[in-house]
Amino acid sequence: MLIKTYGSAVQGVNAYTITIEVNVSAGTKYVLVGLPDNAVKEGELRIESALKQCGYKRPRQKVVINMAPADIRKEGSAYDLPIAMGLLAASGQINQDKVSQYMIMGELSLDGSLRPIKGVLPIAIQARKEGFKGIILPVQNAQEAAIVNNLEVIGVGNILEAIEFLDGHRDIQPLVIDTREVFQNTVDQYAADFADVQGQENIKRALEIAAAGGHNVIMIGPPGAGKTMLAKRLPSVLPPLSMHEALETTKIHSVAGKLGEAASLLTTRPYRSPHHTISDVALVGGGGIPQPGEISLAHNGVLFLDELPEFKRTVLEVMRQPLEERRVTISRAKTSLEFPANFMLIASMNPCPCGYYNHPEKECVCGPGVVQRYLNKVSGPLLDRIDLHVEVTPVTFDEMTATRKAEESATVRERVMQARDKQIDRFKEVPQIHSNAMMPSQMVKEICQINDAGRTLLKTAMERLGLSARAYDRILKVSRTIADLADSQDIKIEHLAEAIQYRSLDREGWAG
């Protein structure tokens, strides 16, 4: 008898339906075709043991299993459950009526229990798109799948529950979650707040500008000045995730297996802080089975690189293209995958190896040329892509012990959202652009127009600092954001002057 069950393969951040055709006929051979990897082939032993544990048996006739389409590689152990259901239905051990109505996924243990799988959200989205009645999957993944409405989510703890449900002997109520209610209740819940930071008002101002325009920032300062503390609090002043952004972000984390058990929709902006020993593949994505890297896990959020010069140069250079294009393409001989990577880059660094160059009180002990050599570890092209360079000075004792409460993240976020609203209105005709930082060069010329006094100021700054054409664009974009925060239609000279001062690393004082 020929039976069809349905599973799913995840490529990039999208899922594709896999038809599992099981044919049981006279003979003794067990054949699995359709480009399965070793994990899928090894499933034969897991399936046999799991069925035995709950009183069923693997058919002893000739079994041919085809996983179609045959040109897509099937990877991982999540096909154990749909293959097992196909074997039981094809050998007449269970009723076949409901088997093809559900998409089925799950990894089997030898005792018949089910282990959680990766990529459940894109699989559930694909199941609804293809018109399946529902999805049967491990109970640990049910919350994640229930994000998708108009789809029956049947969470099962072991293979016996799945068998009895499909055979009509057990009634399992589909899990239903009011996604919008969950989203509204948790969308702004951040553990860290700007109010925790005493002093550093100029750095908070720079981060507010960065958040308002989606700009990248580098903070340069001595150890213990509060660079990491400020970076951790940046997500709390960014506008709340929209439902579309939340789904997009959750999909990436689901594919990477970073959601954890019983996880649901991600409702806060991601904050990723990889260690400086990270490899270039781990940062941008890739590998034998292409997986999203840190820049994709930071999509719609913040990527923080602490001690930037300590990262390998090759690692930093592979970020240059994704920073411009806001996506990363992983190319292989047979396939090409695209992962979104629209993140804000926040970097921090000491001004020199000892950390005290330009310090107001402590003396730098680095020898001649050492400071310049340290700064040269970060390439000019990468620094050009960072809009704001901010010097962080140590907090004084008086600032640390001040009783005046610092401004809360919620207050800053209000101003940021008002500035973002202006940008959304400005770019409503261009759907792929949402913030000032995303403007291409030709749009900068149209939108960021300055008067004669502003042109003179900018020309002087360009000549004195030796700025590149890309840095010129960055200054104009930042000044447009400052004008938006000030609720100004035009870019005034004071907006331009503030934007120019955020190019610390271009100034002569940093020449070593």
Side-chain angles (χ1 to χ4, degrees):
M1 188 190 293
L2 176 66
I3 289 292
K4 290 182 183 181
T5 61
Y6 297 92
S8 193
V10 177
Q11 290 193 332
V13 290
N14 297 312
Y16 301 89
T17 301
I18 301 296
T19 304
I20 298 161
E21 302 169 328
V22 183
N23 189 29
V24 176
S25 56
T28 55
K29 212 171 178 186
Y30 182 96
V31 184
L32 179 60
V33 295
L35 218 58
D37 73 350
N38 282 338
V40 182
K41 290 174 186 170
E42 288 164 359
E44 178 190 354
L45 301 172
R46 290 191 294 272
I47 291 165
E48 186 164 6
S49 174
L51 291 176
K52 200 172 182 180
Q53 288 294 323
C54 53
Y56 292 83
K57 60 183 187 296
R58 201 199 87 187
R60 292 297 167 197
Q61 299 119 291
K62 182 181 178 183
V63 175
V64 178
I65 301 167
N66 177 41
M67 304 178 80
D71 59 341
I72 293 178
R73 189 159 178 77
K74 320 305 180 305
E75 292 156 341
S77 51
Y79 298 105
D80 291 356
L81 192 59
I83 291 173
M85 295 300 107
L87 285 170
L88 291 174
S91 58
Q93 293 180 69
I94 64 168
N95 195 331
Q96 57 175 290
D97 295 344
K98 290 167 80 173
V99 169
S100 59
Q101 295 174 15
Y102 291 84
M103 188 172 277
I104 307 168
M105 292 296 277
E107 177 191 339
L108 284 170
S109 298
L110 296 183
D111 63 357
S113 60
L114 284 166
R115 296 179 185 275
I117 60 171
K118 293 198 293 189
V120 166
L121 183 56
I123 290 170
I125 290 168
Q126 182 66 13
R128 185 181 67 180
K129 191 173 161 187
E130 296 264 348
F132 284 95
K133 184 177 180 182
I135 180 168
I136 299 171
L137 76 176
V139 71
Q140 299 97 317
N141 297 120
Q143 292 255 63
E144 188 186 330
I147 294 169
V148 181
N149 52 20
N150 301 326
L151 183 76
E152 280 187 20
V153 176
I154 309 297
V156 289
N158 55 59
I159 190 171
L160 188 59
E161 288 178 23
I163 291 168
E164 289 177 348
F165 173 76
L166 290 172
D167 217 8
H169 300 316
R170 182 189 286 258
D171 184 33
I172 300 175
Q173 287 303 310
L175 180 65
V176 179
I177 293 175
D178 188 339
T179 312
R180 297 209 169 268
E181 189 184 335
V182 171
F183 181 68
Q184 294 301 334
N185 290 343
T186 57
V187 74
D188 278 337
Q189 290 182 4
Y190 292 95
D193 196 282
F194 261 25
D196 308 332
V197 185
Q198 292 290 357
Q200 301 293 25
E201 297 307 320
N202 59 325
I203 318 301
K204 289 181 189 172
R205 166 69 178 168
L207 292 180
E208 183 181 333
I209 293 166
H215 302 289
N216 302 321
V217 187
I218 184 165
M219 295 181 281
I220 314 110
K227 303 185 291 292
T228 306
M229 189 180 186
L230 284 156
K232 271 186 183 164
R233 282 152 181 76
L234 182 64
S236 68
V237 300
L238 290 169
L241 284 170
S242 66
M243 182 61 101
H244 173 71
E245 285 176 328
L247 279 167
E248 204 174 33
T249 308
T250 309
K251 255 171 95 172
I252 297 166
H253 285 249
S254 172
V255 168
K258 303 286 185 189
L259 283 181
E261 289 186 18
S264 188
L265 193 67
L266 287 178
T267 54
T268 54
R269 291 194 178 270
Y271 172 83
R272 305 293 300 182
S273 179
H275 192 259
H276 61 254
T277 53
I278 193 170
S279 68
D280 44 2
V281 170
L283 187 70
V284 298
I289 302 170
Q291 289 286 300
E294 287 291 334
I295 63 171
S296 294
L297 292 169
H299 180 63
N300 291 323
V302 174
L303 178 73
F304 177 52
L305 301 183
D306 201 1
E307 295 308 330
L308 193 67
E310 301 301 331
F311 283 80
K312 292 196 287 286
R313 194 173 180 110
T314 53
V315 171
L316 296 179
E317 295 309 298
V318 291
M319 265 202 323
R320 278 159 53 174
Q321 192 179 358
L323 274 170
E324 289 286 312
E325 297 187 358
R326 302 185 183 270
R327 66 179 187 276
V328 60
T329 305
I330 311 292
S331 296
R332 295 286 178 269
K334 292 182 180 177
T335 184
S336 181
L337 300 176
E338 198 174 272
F339 292 111
N342 181 17
F343 60 94
M344 273 180 70
L345 173 66
I346 308 297
S348 76
M349 61 185 281
N350 291 333
C352 65
C354 81
Y356 297 109
Y357 180 69
N358 271 358
H359 194 283
E361 292 157 18
K362 296 188 181 179
E363 196 175 330
C364 174
V365 296
C366 298
V370 172
V371 176
Q372 188 59 48
R373 218 166 25 249
Y374 186 73
L375 293 175
N376 284 348
K377 285 185 176 181
V378 184
S379 70
L382 181 66
L383 283 177
D384 262 356
R385 287 168 168 81
I386 298 176
D387 305 355
L388 292 95
H389 306 165
V390 192
E391 282 184 74
V392 184
T393 50
V395 182
T396 64
F397 180 78
D398 290 342
E399 284 177 321
M400 262 193 289
T401 55
T403 52
R404 183 175 65 85
K405 192 156 169 63
E407 197 173 35
E408 291 185 352
S409 290
T411 313
V412 181
R413 187 166 58 238
E414 282 300 316
R415 295 197 295 270
V416 168
M417 286 167 67
Q418 284 168 12
R420 284 282 181 120
D421 287 342
K422 291 183 180 67
Q423 291 163 53
I424 290 164
D425 188 52
R426 181 180 298 136
F427 304 122
K428 60 176 182 271
E429 304 295 325
V430 194
Q432 67 271 27
I433 297 177
H434 315 293
S435 63
N436 290 334
M438 298 170 87
M439 281 191 284
S441 293
Q442 64 270 27
M443 197 176 273
V444 172
K445 289 188 178 73
E446 293 168 30
I447 289 168
C448 304
Q449 295 188 355
I450 50 177
N451 58 23
D452 291 339
R455 261 190 293 276
T456 307
L457 174 68
L458 196 48
K459 184 182 177 205
T460 309
M462 292 281 292
E463 288 168 354
R464 283 193 59 192
L465 302 177
L467 300 179
S468 67
R470 188 182 274 115
Y472 168 80
D473 275 359
R474 303 278 162 186
I475 289 170
L476 286 177
K477 288 178 187 179
V478 172
S479 57
R480 180 63 265 170
T481 302
I482 295 167
D484 287 341
L485 280 166
D487 201 13
S488 170
Q489 284 290 106
D490 304 315
I491 298 172
K492 296 177 180 170
I493 196 159
E494 59 266 28
H495 305 147
L496 208 50
E498 188 178 355
I500 291 166
Q501 85 169 26
Y502 293 126
R503 301 298 299 183
S504 292
L505 291 175
D506 297 318
R507 293 211 300 272
E508 285 175 20
W510 289 99

